[in-house]
Amino acid sequence: MRLTIYELGSSLEKLLSTLKKNRENVPLETLRTVYKEPYEALLRQINETASEFVREIVITDIPVNPDASIDAQSDLINQTIDESGLVRQISLCLSHTYNVHKLHIIALELRRQIEVALEPYIAMKNCLVADPENLDADPIIYNTITRKVYENNAWIERDLDLSGKLLIYIKQPKDISQPIMEENTNEQIPENISEYAHQPATADG
């Protein structure tokens, strides 16, 4: 059964607490030699749990445009992750501060940066919602991906009944769905949006 963010966070806290106690009470060289097998098993468990925890926060239900290039959006997500500098901070949380709360905050910031980067793709689904039976009423600005309305200079979640309504989409630049990243023959970019989550967060000594 899939664990929730809170269950993963609780499990990670216990694992990091064990790692911290081990490092505080046993020389690192002894952990790496005498207790090599259980120590490495603990590190693997921390990496797996931390990766799942971060993936749940950063990637799960991230809004993407199904009608635009998924490869381009995937590249943009991975570019944002790479350029954020936050992956290093995630690693430090695990191996030096052992702080799950801080890890959670960093992961939320990474998700925010990804959502900002994807905004041009999400904006392709901005539309005006008009009621044909009441054309004198001001149309509602609505996004069909996020299911939010725009009012008072902010996007707000609201259930909107679209039955019988007229949706007018704003024309977007033709090249918005083309890959945004420049080709880099020296770097492998994961093709799958969720592949980042399979890169273990470093927690070794």
Side-chain angles (χ1 to χ4, degrees):
M1 184 176 65
R2 184 173 176 177
L3 298 178
T4 67
I5 290 176
Y6 301 101
E7 290 171 332
L8 288 167
S10 177
S11 177
L12 186 57
E13 282 184 339
K14 293 176 182 177
L15 291 169
L16 290 176
S17 177
T18 300
L19 177 64
K20 183 179 180 182
K21 289 178 181 178
N22 286 345
R23 288 179 171 177
E24 288 176 345
N25 294 286
V26 181
L28 185 57
E29 186 61 29
T30 302
L31 288 173
R32 289 174 168 173
T33 54
V34 178
Y35 301 105
K36 183 176 187 293
E37 186 173 337
Y39 180 64
E40 290 184 349
L42 175 62
L43 294 180
R44 284 195 299 271
Q45 193 172 3
I46 288 173
N47 284 333
E48 292 170 1
T49 306
S51 293
E52 184 69 18
F53 179 70
V54 171
R55 178 173 65 239
E56 283 294 314
I57 298 168
V58 175
I59 298 298
T60 299
D61 296 328
I62 198 80
V64 294
N65 188 335
D67 296 326
S69 169
I70 295 299
D71 286 341
Q73 292 175 85
S74 176
D75 286 346
L76 182 56
I77 288 172
N78 284 290
Q79 179 186 22
T80 303
I81 291 171
D82 184 57
E83 294 179 353
S84 70
L86 295 176
V87 175
R88 175 59 178 166
Q89 292 186 37
I90 288 173
S91 177
L92 291 175
C93 278
L94 297 176
S95 60
H96 293 282
T97 64
Y98 315 101
N99 192 325
V100 176
H101 177 66
K102 185 176 180 180
L103 176 63
H104 194 172
I105 293 174
I106 294 172
L108 287 173
E109 170 59 20
L110 183 54
R111 182 185 178 96
R112 186 195 68 79
Q113 291 188 23
I114 291 172
E115 289 178 339
V116 169
L118 289 172
E119 280 180 357
Y121 289 97
I122 305 305
M124 294 173 70
K125 292 299 183 178
N126 288 346
C127 64
L128 299 177
V129 180
D131 187 348
E133 297 182 359
N134 186 15
L135 294 177
D136 291 333
D138 291 335
I140 297 172
I141 302 175
Y142 181 70
N143 185 281
T144 56
I145 294 177
T146 62
R147 292 186 171 88
K148 293 181 178 180
V149 299
Y150 188 79
E151 59 182 34
N152 299 323
N153 297 318
W155 287 100
I156 302 171
E157 291 187 10
R158 180 191 297 174
D159 291 331
L160 200 63
D161 183 7
L162 299 179
S163 58
K165 300 298 190 297
L166 179 64
L167 275 60
I168 305 170
Y169 287 90
I170 302 171
K171 187 176 181 180
Q172 299 292 328
K174 292 183 179 180
D175 62 350
I176 188 65
S177 63
Q178 298 303 313
I180 294 177
M181 290 188 62
E182 295 181 359
E183 183 177 0
N184 184 346
T185 56
N186 296 321
E187 182 177 7
Q188 292 291 328
I189 302 298
E191 295 181 357
N192 190 293
I193 286 179
S194 64
E195 188 162 341
Y196 159 72
H198 300 293
Q199 300 175 3
T202 303
D204 61 13

